[in-house]
């Protein structure tokens, strides 16, 4: 990626921080140090693409700044039930009415990163064990040239998707319920799905790939002996159903710079290695590509993404075809 863009981003972050010096930085650190942290964190986010390298300045976690919790009920304002408990709260009761094909299903949605990760490198850089390696607790994610962050995108898609799935009767749990917090760590994101005994889970991301590359990619777990054996087959089926629905409903092409026909198998993602339930990641598009960025920035396209992902879950969870296709649902009042 272009250094000039990195420099521009660093300048902008510095300006932001100067204008809002209390943005999550302890005053005792002083503005100079705080700015350095923020700039370093922002740079790490760029270099990390979507889910790669840590922010610099790693330090022990000073406290539990993690935001987790269960999603609100279907008709509520999305993201309103934020909690800072360090563990997932109890899910809302699932609907059991006839004609709600996902009524018995538990689905965990993991919007990648978090809106304030960039300001808390000491927290998100803490190394955690993902079996195959030690990795940072979380990363900052990427963003478009216009400054639309991946964390905000991921969360917006997640709350749209939660509404659609709840309309189908599913119990939906979010790994974070606002875009104004830090974390949770990738290990906790997996644990939330495990504790819920989710029938299926997805980690929602957008990529920070090369500007010349575009398209979407679904990532499924690879074999980590003794850990992922049991979820490989169902996760592969989930990946195929998600890929099919996403391609069909969003029109987004398969990624031309990563994966193979929009499928990837990885063993370096904590969210997959540590999952005991069927799970995939999706990179919904490449935020560093102008064409993809324009699409991902449009609320209508994000709604289309949510519809596509809901259709993928419905296909996976109701293979007999008894479901009302979520892709045909009409959802008024979708959040922007
Ligand atoms: Zn990401």
């Amino acid at each position: 990626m272009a250094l000039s863009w990195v420099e521009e981003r660093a300048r902008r972050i510095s300006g932001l921080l100067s204008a809002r010096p209390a943005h999550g930085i302890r005053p005792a650190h002083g503005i100079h140090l705080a700015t350095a942290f923020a700039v370093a964190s922002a740079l790490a986010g760029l270099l990390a693409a979507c889910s790669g390298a840590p922010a610099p300045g790693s330090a022990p976690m000073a406290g539990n700044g993690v935001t987790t919790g269960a999603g609100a009920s279907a008709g509520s304002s999305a993201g309103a039930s934020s909690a800072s408990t360090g563990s997932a709260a109890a899910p809302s009761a699932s609907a059991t009415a006839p004609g709600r094909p996902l009524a018995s299903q538990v689905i965990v949605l993991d919007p990648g990163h978090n809106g304030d990760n960039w300001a808390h490198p000491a927290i998100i850089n803490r190394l955690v064990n993902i079996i195959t390696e030690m990795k940072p607790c979380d990363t900052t994610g990427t963003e478009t040239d216009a400054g639309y962050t991946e964390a905000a995108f991921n969360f917006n898609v997640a709350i749209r998707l939660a509404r659609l799935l709840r309309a189908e009767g599913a119990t939906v749990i979010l790994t974070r319920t606002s875009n104004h917090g830090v974390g949770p760590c990738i290990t906790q994101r997996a644990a939330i799905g495990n504790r819920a005994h989710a029938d299926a889970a997805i980690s929602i991301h957008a990529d920070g790939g090369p500007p010349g590359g575009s398209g979407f990619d679904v990532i499924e777990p690879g074999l980590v002996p003794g850990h992922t054996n049991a979820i490989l087959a169902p996760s592969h089926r989930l990946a195929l159903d998600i890929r099919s629905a996403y391609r069909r409903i969003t029109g987004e092409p398969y990624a031309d710079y990563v994966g193979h026909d929009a499928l990837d198998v990885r063993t370096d993602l904590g969210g997959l290695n540590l999952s005991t339930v069927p799970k995939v990641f999706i990179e919904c598009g490449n935020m560093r590509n102008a064409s993809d960025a324009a699409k991902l920035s449009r609320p209508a396209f994000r709604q289309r993404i949510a519809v596509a992902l809901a259709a993928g879950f419905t296909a996976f969870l109701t293979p007999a075809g008894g479901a009302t296709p979520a892709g045909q649902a009409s959802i008024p009042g979708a959040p922007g």
Side-chain angles (χ1 to χ4, degrees):
M1 86 191 34
L3 182 60
S4 59
W5 188 88
V6 172
E7 292 169 336
E8 187 278 333
R9 169 63 173 160
R11 279 199 305 274
R12 190 150 53 82
I13 291 292
S14 297
L16 254 180
L17 202 64
S18 297
R20 294 183 294 146
H23 194 86
I25 304 293
R26 290 194 184 97
H29 287 173
I31 187 64
H32 180 71
L33 181 57
T35 301
F37 272 164
V39 170
S41 181
L43 293 177
L46 298 177
L47 299 173
C50 167
S51 56
S58 183
M61 184 178 280
N64 186 355
V66 168
T67 300
T68 61
S73 60
S76 68
S77 174
S81 61
S82 184
S84 294
T85 60
S87 62
S92 56
S94 62
T96 55
R100 309 184 89 189
L102 302 182
S104 63
Q105 307 293 337
V106 177
I107 300 173
V108 168
L109 307 181
D110 174 35
H113 317 285
N114 204 335
D116 289 342
N117 278 5
W118 65 273
H120 298 276
I123 293 175
I124 67 168
N125 281 342
R126 181 173 69 89
L127 294 180
V128 296
N129 186 351
I130 68 158
I131 311 301
T132 52
E133 61 184 291
M134 299 294 288
K135 282 187 89 167
C137 157
D138 206 7
T139 52
T140 57
T142 188
E143 66 178 19
T144 69
D145 276 351
Y148 183 47
T149 68
E150 186 203 342
F153 167 84
N154 297 339
F155 183 67
N156 188 259
V157 169
I159 59 177
R160 292 171 183 275
L161 177 55
R163 286 188 177 189
L164 293 169
L165 294 171
R166 286 170 180 148
E168 296 287 324
T171 296
V172 179
I173 300 171
L174 300 173
T175 59
R176 60 182 174 97
T177 54
S178 83
N179 195 43
H180 304 288
V182 182
C185 290
I186 53 178
T187 47
Q188 290 176 279
R189 292 173 189 262
I192 289 168
N194 298 347
R195 282 197 297 268
H197 302 289
D199 295 287
I202 191 168
S203 192
I204 300 165
H205 290 256
D207 206 4
S214 64
F216 78 99
D217 190 47
V218 179
I219 305 167
E220 60 184 281
L223 178 61
V224 180
H227 294 276
T228 60
N229 308 61
I231 67 166
L232 290 187
S235 296
H236 181 62
R237 282 202 302 112
L238 176 61
L240 294 178
D241 285 335
I242 292 288
R243 180 183 68 165
S244 173
Y246 198 90
R247 178 72 185 90
R248 183 179 75 253
I249 293 172
T250 69
E252 181 76 357
Y254 295 164
D256 57 13
Y257 65 97
V258 68
H260 301 281
D261 294 333
L263 288 180
D264 239 332
V265 179
R266 289 174 61 173
T267 57
D268 64 330
L269 296 173
L272 297 180
N273 289 359
L274 299 170
S275 182
T276 59
V277 301
K279 184 174 181 180
V280 298
F281 276 49
I282 185 166
E283 301 283 4
C284 293
N286 179 11
M287 287 194 134
R288 307 303 309 142
N289 173 273
S291 174
D292 274 5
K295 285 189 276 190
L296 299 173
S297 298
R298 287 202 299 268
F301 192 76
R302 293 196 294 275
Q303 184 65 16
R304 190 171 290 272
I305 288 174
V307 167
L309 296 178
F313 274 116
T314 301
F316 175 72
L317 294 168
T318 60
T324 299
Q328 296 174 12
S330 175
I331 305 299

